[in-house]
Amino acid sequence: MQIDPIGRTVRLSIGELARFRRIPQTERLGGNLWRAGVGQEWHKRLEAETLAQVPNARFEVPIKAIWTRREWTFELEGRMDQLIPQADHTQVIREIKTVRRALPEAEDTLVQTYPEYFAQIATYFALARVLPEYDGVQLRADLVLIDIDRGTLQEITLGKEQLDRFEQQLDALIPFLNERRNARLQFRKTKIQPAFEALRDGQAELFKTLKDASIRARAVLLEAPTGFGKTGIVLEHALHQMQDGVFERCIYLTSKSTGQLETIRQLRAMVGDGLRFIQMRNRQEHRIESAAHTCTGDTACDAEIGQRWLESKLQASDLFENETLTLERAKAIGLKTGLCPYALTRACLPFAEVWIGDSNYVFSPASRSVFFSQYGFDPARTLLIVDEAHNLPDRVADALSLELSSISLVYAMESLRSADVSRRLLSSLNELTRLVESLSTHQVIDINTRYELLDLGEDLVEQLKEARIIYETLPADTTETIWKIPELVKRLSEGEDEWFFWASAPGTFRATCLRPAAWIAECMKPFGESILMSATLAPTNVFRESCGLSASETVVATGHAPWREATYDVAIDCRVDTRFRQRDKYYETTAKTIASFVDRSPGEPVAIFFASYQYAENIKAYLNAMDPFTRVQVQPRGVDLAQQQDFIEEALLGCDAIFLILGSSYAEGIDALGGRIKTTIVVGPALAEVNPIQDAKMDRHPSMNRDIAFRDIYIIPAMRRIHQALGRLVRAPGHRARVLLHGKRFADPLYKDQLAPEYQDCLIIENEAQFLKWLS
């Protein structure tokens, strides 16, 4: 659907118009191979029968027309299944639909159950009547319903009451279109406040660079230091582009929810109540438990949502409060009405101009329908912003990867056995289960096992096409497992350079995506413009290639911050070796080093960044043994956004040392450290764990030079995590930080050359005396 709210025009398919509802619909997981296959077969069968009786009948006839109603102009197009001339010169428009319902049935019941089918053929009929090629032709509209379980047919000739459903559907859509128009007019009158009261050095230049880059390319790679003001600059750019009519919507994505809070704060400061926005959180965060509704955490939550919505007499546009629907308000409404809060938030998306959420909502096959299925969403008229874009390739690779366990297959077989599927299907599933069950941890799938998995998978896909499975009646996890099988076949059939097949645990097959570049580029392609931004995109050529983008279709916009010069006092501590097999020999030295920092920072906590929780806990144990009175806190695991903020604030006020993990939200998403942490230690470069996946990436790297492959796969990602962490310490003029890079590998040219320019001028510490002198 493409809407021009100012010009009052809308372009959409006839199917889109027929399916439009003012109430949310049940979200479906996957599809139905058998249903789709049977539907195609019935279309072919009826086409052959019609052709035998009426040789000049036409099929899949395109139809396109313009229709005006209540000041709106609709450009509609679609394809009529059959157009059949009759002996009396009547032309019959016939639409064929498959159903799972005993036929014949009362027409009123069918209209209530399948309103979109009647609306679709009524639209064909109404449009054909005004087209010149049907001028003077008597038309009739027939809807053919086929019960695919019993093979019975029911043909209904639409009378005036049902033919009126076309204009009724237009009337149902027009209030939504008027909402969009009113929102656009309101935003046009809204004064956009500048992102900053006064521009700091480098910000004005980036504004201009970004504007010029947007004209020259559809993808902009924006790199500027943490604290530079990227969020404000990009949002101001986006809001002006939207107000000028270049875009009608903006999607702002992050890989960590902590970054979304700053985006919302900045957005509110700039437009106040002049623009609606939605922060799309995940299902788990929306969960409630009450007598009226208890969330299941999956699509089963949406059962009978349409009826519940009608009973609640809700209008999605009325759910907004202060131009948004907060998570807390969605939960409160859910507790009162019995509706799933996640469904409430989704229902509000079409009425908001800015969508804020996780990168999965555009780049994950399992989640992208949340955005892409919304009425009125047109990617070509949407500005896509991806914050923390350095994480995008890894996040997308995780989203594309697939895991299938023997345990999940066993549960699926039990559910299917209750559904009375064929013995052959169960037997094939059992074979697949036994093969997956035989896999041992970290086993690389050899070519013979791969072909065996592929053969079994292809056989199962064919059987699923024939199996009369009512997926709506199955447990959600069973449906999810079954729908992994076609995906398994697809991945096994694709190139080995893209995928690594192995056993991630006993009895667990995993297809790990090694190169998500093509998929990322495909996801970005429909958008009018994309801005990928981060403090750590460099080296930009490596990042660009990892996103499947060419140099010709991208422009790099760089923000320079002169005020960051000479703000870091950096030293490399060569006294210790932090490699995994050596680090335990230096635990005491590391603990003493932290204690020395704490002694010289009274009243100010020291931040220490580690490669892993285990490393942090080991050093904490040593530090507690040396000085039990040193107050140390390790970042907690698995807490939500509010708890993360609470931990940081409490630790800054009540700790001597805060232990944080590189690559986590605390190291990359929390912005509360700037100006409050002045001394920090980075314990080792935090290289990725050596495992079969990393080995596969090394083996399949395009360069034959192992040092270049090691740099791209291990060193660059590790140094990006460090740059992210250190960038959070200096976020404004006047901030300063003393940094100890603790580990002799930092002095190795392979690592040191990857340090950002502001960290390159550093002291090399070889012994205790040099350390104490630098520290004092």
Side-chain angles (χ1 to χ4, degrees):
M1 184 187 298
Q2 298 174 340
I3 304 170
D4 177 3
I6 303 303
R8 283 198 172 100
T9 63
V10 56
R11 181 182 301 167
L12 74 165
S13 72
I14 291 170
E16 280 183 299
L17 174 64
R19 291 189 300 272
F20 178 78
R21 296 289 180 275
R22 293 278 292 182
I23 60 175
Q25 303 300 302
T26 302
E27 183 183 3
R28 302 294 185 191
L29 179 64
N32 190 316
L33 292 175
W34 169 70
R35 176 73 175 269
V38 171
Q40 292 171 1
E41 288 301 317
W42 271 106
H43 272 74
K44 292 177 183 177
R45 176 176 166 181
L46 290 187
E47 180 178 325
E49 290 179 359
T50 301
L51 203 56
Q53 297 171 9
V54 187
N56 59 340
R58 297 162 62 196
F59 306 95
E60 295 294 319
V61 181
I63 186 168
K64 186 176 182 179
I66 294 176
W67 195 280
T68 302
R69 187 166 180 84
R70 291 166 56 183
E71 299 183 305
W72 282 89
T73 299
F74 296 85
E75 299 178 23
L76 296 158
E77 59 181 322
R79 286 181 178 273
M80 299 180 286
D81 282 344
Q82 297 185 359
L83 187 62
I84 310 169
Q86 304 290 297
D88 61 359
H89 305 295
T90 299
Q91 293 269 5
V92 177
I93 301 170
R94 178 186 279 180
E95 183 68 13
I96 300 164
K97 298 293 185 182
T98 56
V99 299
R100 300 200 72 168
R101 188 183 192 93
L103 299 175
E105 178 64 273
E107 185 174 324
D108 289 346
T109 302
L110 294 173
V111 169
Q112 187 175 4
T113 309
Y114 308 108
E116 65 275 19
Y117 297 166
F118 288 86
Q120 186 170 345
I121 191 167
T123 304
Y124 291 144
F125 180 85
L127 298 187
R129 289 182 66 185
V130 300
L131 291 175
E133 56 262 45
Y134 300 100
D135 189 30
V137 176
Q138 186 73 23
L139 294 170
R140 192 178 88 209
D142 286 0
L143 176 63
V144 178
L145 298 178
I146 306 165
D147 174 8
I148 53 180
D149 285 319
R150 301 165 186 83
T152 54
L153 284 74
Q154 182 173 351
E155 188 161 359
I156 304 165
T157 297
L158 271 65
K160 183 180 184 307
E161 183 179 352
Q162 296 310 328
L163 291 173
D164 288 343
R165 297 188 71 84
F166 162 58
E167 293 195 341
Q168 292 171 11
Q169 199 67 8
L170 291 180
D171 289 340
L173 179 58
I174 285 172
F176 169 74
L177 299 176
N178 287 333
E179 284 262 4
R180 297 293 77 226
R181 175 177 167 79
N182 294 337
R184 176 66 61 83
L185 292 173
Q186 177 184 337
F187 183 48
R188 273 188 165 186
K189 296 184 291 184
T190 299
K191 179 175 175 56
I192 299 172
Q193 300 298 326
F196 312 101
E197 292 184 6
L199 296 178
R200 297 201 296 251
D201 289 346
Q203 289 180 331
E205 290 80 359
L206 185 57
F207 270 116
K208 184 178 185 307
T209 302
L210 178 58
K211 184 176 180 180
D212 293 343
S214 296
I215 296 171
R216 291 161 52 200
R218 292 183 65 182
V220 179
L221 309 184
L222 189 153
E223 184 176 56
T226 300
F228 186 88
K230 295 186 296 298
T231 300
I233 289 170
V234 170
L235 279 178
E236 186 170 332
H237 167 79
L239 293 171
H240 282 295
Q241 293 278 79
M242 292 169 65
Q243 199 168 58
D244 292 343
V246 179
F247 300 109
E248 62 187 28
R249 177 169 280 121
C250 173
I251 293 179
Y252 194 108
L253 303 177
T254 68
S255 57
K256 293 182 172 65
S257 54
T258 46
Q260 297 170 19
L261 297 180
E262 172 59 20
T263 305
I264 292 170
R265 186 202 65 78
Q266 187 84 58
L267 187 65
R268 282 198 178 281
M270 295 172 70
V271 293
D273 292 337
L275 190 71
R276 285 178 171 178
F277 70 91
I278 287 292
Q279 183 187 14
M280 194 69 223
R281 310 284 276 272
N282 60 43
R283 276 191 181 275
Q284 293 302 314
E285 291 180 279
H286 279 89
R287 291 184 73 157
I288 58 172
E289 185 174 345
S290 71
H293 179 80
T294 295
C295 290
T296 60
D298 54 36
T299 54
C301 240
D302 300 331
E304 300 179 356
I305 188 172
Q307 184 61 35
R308 285 175 177 262
W309 190 274
L310 288 173
E311 292 170 356
S312 302
K313 298 181 180 179
L314 292 176
Q315 294 291 336
S317 56
D318 296 335
L319 300 180
F320 286 80
E321 187 175 78
N322 298 324
E323 302 307 310
T324 193
L325 175 67
T326 64
L327 180 65
E328 294 72 23
R329 177 166 162 76
K331 286 184 173 182
I333 296 172
L335 289 169
K336 181 179 179 181
T337 62
L339 284 160
C340 173
Y342 184 76
L344 291 168
T345 303
R346 281 189 62 177
C348 288
L349 283 170
F351 301 91
E353 284 71 46
V354 178
W355 298 348
I356 301 167
D358 189 273
S359 57
N360 281 336
Y361 288 122
V362 167
F363 295 99
S364 168
S367 304
R368 67 198 312 264
S369 65
V370 172
F371 281 179
F372 281 79
S373 64
Q374 297 300 327
Y375 274 98
F377 173 54
D378 180 7
R381 301 271 292 143
T382 301
L383 172 60
L384 174 66
I385 300 170
V386 182
D387 200 355
E388 303 160 6
H390 61 280
N391 289 321
L392 185 62
D394 286 343
R395 286 293 306 277
V396 176
D398 286 343
L400 292 175
S401 298
L402 178 147
E403 191 167 273
L404 188 63
S405 72
S406 57
I407 294 175
S408 66
L409 287 167
V410 168
Y411 286 139
M413 279 194 295
E414 291 304 314
S415 297
L416 290 173
R417 187 173 284 111
S418 301
D420 198 28
V421 299
S422 70
R423 290 185 180 180
R424 183 181 167 219
L425 175 58
L426 291 173
S427 176
S428 296
L429 269 174
N430 189 51
E431 278 191 71
L432 179 62
T433 303
R434 290 170 59 186
L435 180 55
V436 172
E437 191 175 30
S438 69
L439 302 177
S440 56
T441 305
H442 288 185
Q443 175 186 340
V444 178
I445 307 300
D446 59 45
I447 192 67
N448 291 330
T449 305
R450 179 179 166 188
Y451 282 141
E452 191 174 355
L453 283 165
L454 181 58
D455 286 343
L456 280 170
E458 289 176 339
D459 183 46
L460 277 165
V461 168
E462 290 304 312
Q463 291 185 57
L464 288 170
K465 288 179 180 179
E466 300 172 3
R468 301 189 175 198
I469 300 172
I470 306 175
Y471 287 97
E472 292 82 359
T473 64
L474 296 177
D477 54 356
T478 295
T479 306
E480 184 178 354
T481 297
I482 292 170
W483 278 100
K484 283 182 179 180
I485 296 173
E487 293 298 317
L488 166 71
V489 170
K490 182 179 177 182
R491 284 156 176 72
L492 287 168
S493 303
E494 291 176 351
E496 290 188 35
D497 288 343
E498 310 296 321
W499 299 92
F500 175 59
F501 305 108
W502 61 302
S504 56
T508 303
F509 168 84
R510 186 170 179 83
T512 296
C513 179
L514 299 178
R515 294 183 185 172
W519 174 255
I520 294 174
E522 185 68 22
C523 292
M524 291 174 57
K525 188 176 180 180
F527 288 94
E529 181 184 333
S530 301
I531 301 174
L532 307 182
M533 67 178 189
S534 171
T536 54
L537 294 183
T540 52
N541 63 317
V542 175
F543 173 77
R544 184 177 59 233
E545 291 169 6
S546 70
C547 293
L549 302 172
S550 65
S552 61
E553 61 187 338
T554 57
V555 174
V556 179
T558 304
H560 299 285
W563 49 268
R564 283 174 60 88
E565 295 177 4
T567 56
Y568 287 93
D569 177 10
V570 183
I572 294 177
D573 188 357
C574 295
R575 297 174 302 147
V576 300
D577 187 345
T578 59
R579 288 178 298 177
F580 184 77
R581 296 184 182 279
Q582 301 294 325
R583 62 181 56 160
D584 60 338
K585 300 175 184 177
Y586 299 94
Y587 281 169
E588 185 176 354
T589 302
T590 299
K592 286 181 177 179
T593 301
I594 295 169
S596 297
F597 268 71
V598 169
D599 289 342
R600 285 164 175 76
S601 304
E604 291 184 356
V606 179
I608 299 93
F609 293 96
F610 290 89
S612 67
Y613 276 98
Q614 187 60 59
Y615 203 169
E617 293 289 354
N618 290 341
I619 298 302
K620 181 184 178 184
Y622 267 79
L623 193 57
N624 287 341
M626 289 170 50
D627 184 1
F629 298 103
T630 300
R631 298 167 298 175
V632 180
Q633 286 286 345
V634 179
Q635 71 173 59
R637 302 175 189 245
V639 295
D640 62 25
L641 187 54
Q643 292 170 315
Q644 292 177 29
Q645 297 282 349
D646 291 343
F647 166 76
I648 285 292
E649 291 302 322
E650 292 171 5
L652 287 169
L653 293 174
C655 285
D656 299 312
I658 309 173
F659 285 11
L660 304 172
I661 311 302
L662 288 165
S664 68
S665 294
Y666 293 93
E668 297 194 14
I670 296 290
D671 294 329
L673 304 182
R676 302 170 75 181
I677 293 287
K678 298 183 177 62
T679 53
T680 190
I681 304 171
V682 179
V683 183
L687 297 182
E689 176 189 0
V690 177
N691 58 34
I693 299 173
Q694 297 298 105
D695 290 342
K697 289 180 179 179
M698 287 288 292
D699 292 340
R700 300 172 197 186
H701 191 275
S703 174
M704 300 299 292
N705 187 311
R706 296 292 286 182
D707 285 343
I708 293 176
F710 187 78
R711 179 202 66 188
D712 291 352
I713 292 165
Y714 284 96
I715 297 177
I716 289 176
M719 301 311 284
R720 276 190 180 137
R721 285 191 284 271
I722 290 170
H723 292 152
Q724 280 287 321
L726 297 183
R728 313 241 158 232
L729 307 181
V730 176
R731 296 184 52 80
H735 291 176
R736 302 185 66 84
R738 167 167 279 196
V739 178
L740 183 69
L741 301 177
H742 188 63
K744 65 182 183 181
R745 273 194 296 187
F746 286 114
D748 185 322
L750 280 173
Y751 296 83
K752 190 172 184 297
D753 290 349
Q754 296 302 321
L755 284 171
E758 56 262 45
Y759 313 129
Q760 286 282 351
D761 185 17
C762 54
L763 174 70
I764 304 296
I765 294 173
E766 301 282 0
N767 54 52
E768 186 77 9
Q770 290 176 335
F771 167 68
L772 293 174
K773 181 179 179 181
W774 174 77
L775 189 60
S776 63

